[in-house]
Amino acid sequence: MSTKDDKEINEFHLNQLASVGQIAAGIAHEVKNPLTAVKGFLQLLKESPADEYLDIAQSELNNALATLENLLHVSKPDAEDEPYQPIKVAVELEVLFTLFQDQIYRVEIQRNLRDTETPIYGKKNQLKKALFNLLKNAFEAIPQKGTISVEHYATDEEIHIYIRDTGVGIPPEKLKMLGTPFYTTKPDGTGMGLTQVFSVIYEHQGKIDVHSVPGEGTAFHIRLPKMTNTPTRGVINLNVEYAPGEEIRHFLLRNQDVFEKRLLAEAVNVKEKIHEIQRVGNIDLLSNAHKLVLYIVDGREHEMISFARKEGVSWAKYSLTLAFKLEWVQTVRRVLWDFLYNYDRLHSIETQSNREQFFELERRINHMMDQFLNHFFITYTECKDQLIQSQREMVNNLSVPIIPLTPNVCILPLIGTIDEERAALIEEKVINHIGDTRIEVLILDLSGISSMESSILNQLMGLLNGMTMMGCKAVVTGLRPEVVKQIIRSGISFEKSIITKGTLQQALVDFLHESRRQTSDCPFCCTCTNRRLPT
Ligand code: ADP
Ligand code: MG
């Protein structure tokens, strides 16, 4: 029977996405109830004179109920907050095979399950559902007869599961599509099976590999981390020193080394990076952690915020990995609570602390921690945004490189494609540049442009006219035949004031000559006294 809460959860999820699994769960429920009733009647019947078929009926019924129970497990709506628990995957696999009973006349299941007692730690229903989806795909991949082999074993750190089938296989180019929501090659497929599989395996810090040969079959290889022996944390009695009546601050300072040891034991990933972070960003994580907890227990919020901001800047500036920061701060929070517990344990022998005081402390400490994280992340993001903005400006400048040749002559070589955004940028930069420098000639070299849409051509013509209006000669060079054809087709004609030259070099000869004649230093000119031809 479903409780009211169950029902609410079902409906809530159905609103989001009525997946096949959820519908199956509904059906299973519907079927299970009458079956349970039938089971009761059979029991009653047995008490009257025996009938040989009654036993058979009862055992079949029990099988049906067990199957339904399993189906309910794998098709339960995804409970996002499903608790983590120890799971023996091999045992679950055995259970799942029973759901495919109706297939064994055509598909043989070969099991090679070793290390069956090795537990992992995870969300049981989610994992069962993932394995069910993989098995289901394997069965569906085998059109007629075939074999599915399932292997399970453990290594030092992981368990390995292989699900191999002798089915149709997957073409290499389709492999990368696996896991994409709604990708399916089946007429009545949902394309949600592997999406669920991938997300659950990743959520459990696992890995998944697929190997497939079209016409021969497919193998899914899954690795999941074994359960470690660290118990789910209760309170921890630390081996700390305590001087009667001392404040938390002094207690923390006195036991600084214990604090560090616990931090390092807890922050497994950061531990390996501590030296690298120190080297790259000159950030001493350990001494910063001490600083942070002292700010917190002292309630020095303003100082802590400016400290958080400083850290945010460094973290952004040196591109340090955010995940490490997160792990580190979370560890600091946990270890600080371990210390507060131990302080309370020793301290309350003298002074009875009450619940109210505890919750007051909880608020204060967690508020400070949250403030630290907020300010750290806000600063980090601001800093990164600024960086991105300045890089964007740099790219913009590079995409419109106005190069001065003489005080009067500039050249703008354009390469690549010009879309509307870039055309607008060019217009803006060129007009401003002419306005600022009052140059007399701007050579636009288009030899690096192979095509231009007519709307962009129009925009460019507008710019050339605008330049002329400002008293700057517009010289266009290097028009490629393709572009010229586009100009002809679009019916655009060049204004008389716009000068065109076949190549950039021809334009340089003409305009540099003109502007350098006064200095008698023209490398191109035939009429200058100091005639120097380019070598
Ligand atoms: P669905 O089963 O609803 O199509 P899935 O996400 O479970 O959705 O699978 C997506 C697609 O991946 C399938 O349609 C199929 O083309 C391919 N696929 C998955 N598993 C196998 C397999 N074992 N053998 C061959 N193809 C597979
Ligand atoms: Mg599927």
Side-chain angles (χ1 to χ4, degrees), residues 371-387:
Q371 283 290 77
F372 177 83
L373 270 181
N374 285 349
H375 285 276
F376 171 83
F377 277 109
I378 291 168
T379 320
Y380 175 91
T381 321
E382 282 169 359
C383 217
K384 279 281 176 201
D385 286 349
Q386 270 171 20
L387 235 73

Side-chain angles (χ1 to χ4, degrees), residues 226-512:
K226 274 190 346 198
M227 194 168 114
T228 52
N229 286 327
T230 35
T232 19
R233 300 164 53 94
V235 286
I236 294 175
N237 281 357
L238 296 168
N239 193 8
V240 280
E241 285 173 21
Y242 170 75
E246 75 181 337
E247 304 251 312
I248 297 181
R249 156 176 255 277
H250 294 122
F251 175 72
L252 279 166
L253 285 172
R254 183 189 298 281
N255 296 291
Q256 204 160 339
D257 52 334
V258 185
F259 192 87
E260 267 182 29
K261 269 201 202 110
R262 273 228 68 76
L263 273 181
L264 293 176
E266 291 266 322
V268 275
N269 297 314
V270 176
K271 195 175 146 193
E272 294 165 10
K273 297 283 169 189
I274 279 197
H275 294 298
E276 194 181 320
I277 291 172
Q278 168 103 54
R279 187 172 46 78
V280 177
N282 194 21
I283 295 170
D284 182 345
L285 283 178
L286 281 171
S287 76
N288 282 359
H290 290 303
K291 219 185 215 175
L292 175 62
V293 294
L294 288 182
Y295 283 143
I296 289 175
V297 296
D298 291 349
R300 285 188 280 161
E301 191 164 345
H302 285 300
E303 283 162 82
M304 188 198 66
I305 289 173
S306 78
F307 174 58
R309 295 192 141 266
K310 230 169 70 194
E311 290 235 299
V313 173
S314 311
W315 222 266
K317 204 160 91 189
Y318 299 106
S319 292
L320 297 168
T321 314
L322 263 189
F324 293 141
K325 187 67 185 179
L326 213 56
E327 186 187 5
W328 188 245
V329 177
Q330 282 164 353
T331 311
V332 172
R333 190 199 289 261
R334 278 202 305 275
V335 176
L336 177 58
W337 276 108
D338 288 341
F339 265 72
L340 292 172
Y341 164 73
N342 280 272
Y343 176 75
D344 188 65
R345 178 170 66 88
L346 300 161
H347 188 71
S348 62
I349 299 168
E350 309 148 30
T351 55
Q352 280 290 316
S353 69
N354 59 32
R355 282 166 61 95
E356 212 162 287
Q357 277 169 335
F358 169 78
F359 281 107
E360 194 271 332
L361 180 74
E362 188 274 339
R363 280 225 154 174
R364 195 154 52 82
I365 301 284
N366 284 339
H367 165 77
M368 291 285 274
M369 271 289 181
D370 293 339
Q371 283 290 77
F372 177 83
L373 270 181
N374 285 349
H375 285 276
F376 171 83
F377 277 109
I378 291 168
T379 320
Y380 175 91
T381 321
E382 282 169 359
C383 217
K384 279 281 176 201
D385 286 349
Q386 270 171 20
L387 235 73
I388 291 169
Q389 185 57 32
S390 66
Q391 276 168 357
R392 188 172 296 151
E393 274 163 25
M394 201 166 86
V395 171
N396 281 349
N397 282 335
L398 286 175
S399 78
V400 190
I402 303 176
I403 306 161
L405 291 179
T406 73
N408 288 331
V409 183
C410 281
I411 159 175
L412 170 57
L414 290 174
I415 51 171
T417 41
I418 299 181
D419 56 9
E420 266 176 44
E421 203 177 320
R422 190 164 170 217
L425 188 73
I426 293 171
E427 187 179 292
E428 162 93 14
K429 294 249 169 195
V430 167
I431 300 288
N432 285 348
H433 190 85
I434 297 173
D436 291 345
T437 58
R438 291 285 157 202
I439 51 167
E440 288 166 13
V441 181
L442 180 67
I443 306 172
L444 251 95
D445 181 54
L446 300 184
S447 57
I449 305 253
S450 58
S451 94
M452 224 188 263
E453 281 180 27
S454 60
S455 65
I456 306 288
L457 275 170
N458 269 320
Q459 225 169 322
L460 187 71
M461 279 316 149
L463 171 64
L464 296 175
N465 286 336
M467 285 164 60
T468 323
M469 275 179 232
M470 294 179 85
C472 175
K473 265 192 204 135
V475 185
V476 178
T477 65
L479 277 174
R480 292 214 206 164
E482 303 91 298
V483 178
V484 173
K485 281 181 211 158
Q486 279 166 327
I487 295 176
I488 297 168
R489 270 199 298 274
S490 59
I492 297 170
S493 58
F494 273 64
E495 295 281 324
K496 279 203 200 79
S497 55
I498 299 167
I499 301 158
T500 52
K501 294 278 169 190
T503 65
L504 177 61
Q505 200 164 12
Q506 284 165 9
L508 288 176
V509 169
D510 286 5
F511 292 97
L512 278 185

Side-chain angles (χ1 to χ4, degrees), residues 133-142 163-165 167-171 174 177-197 210 212 217-220:
N133 284 334
L134 287 172
L135 284 170
K136 186 165 173 284
N137 281 344
F139 277 101
E140 287 168 353
I142 299 173
I163 297 178
R164 303 183 176 91
D165 64 64
V168 291
I170 303 162
K174 289 286 173 344
M177 295 298 294
L178 299 184
T180 311
F182 309 116
Y183 168 72
T184 180
T185 55
K186 301 169 192 167
D188 49 1
T190 60
M192 290 304 286
L194 288 180
T195 308
Q196 189 267 348
V197 173
V210 192
S212 190
T218 306
F220 280 84

